[in-house]
Amino acid sequence: MKNYSIIKLSTMWSTNGLKNDVERLLNQKNAQGYEIVSVAFGVNLWWMPTAFITIRK
């Protein structure tokens, strides 16, 4: 059985910073043996850029 996790990252300042944070997290989780299922970008209720990352092991 595979366990799924959803990680949420947000930023108030820079979409470029969010992209870099997501890329860093993806590389870290991949090195730890996680499979990256999906990455989605959007905004939250306060219009802050947000990323949702689904991983499984």
Side-chain angles (χ1 to χ4, degrees):
M1 183 169 164
K2 294 186 178 187
N3 293 321
Y4 289 84
S5 296
I6 298 174
I7 301 167
K8 181 176 92 169
L9 297 176
S10 297
T11 185
M12 290 187 73
W13 308 114
S14 167
T15 55
N16 236 6
L18 179 60
K19 179 188 70 75
N20 291 337
D21 291 345
V22 168
E23 187 174 356
R24 189 173 19 262
L25 182 84
L26 291 175
N27 288 328
Q28 176 188 22
K29 293 300 182 183
N30 191 42
Q32 293 172 355
Y34 287 90
E35 177 185 351
I36 309 305
V37 177
S38 68
V39 178
F41 290 90
V43 293
N44 65 14
L45 292 173
W46 297 279
W47 292 95
M48 293 170 47
T50 303
F52 295 93
I53 304 159
T54 305
I55 59 175
R56 71 178 171 194
K57 193 150 195 178

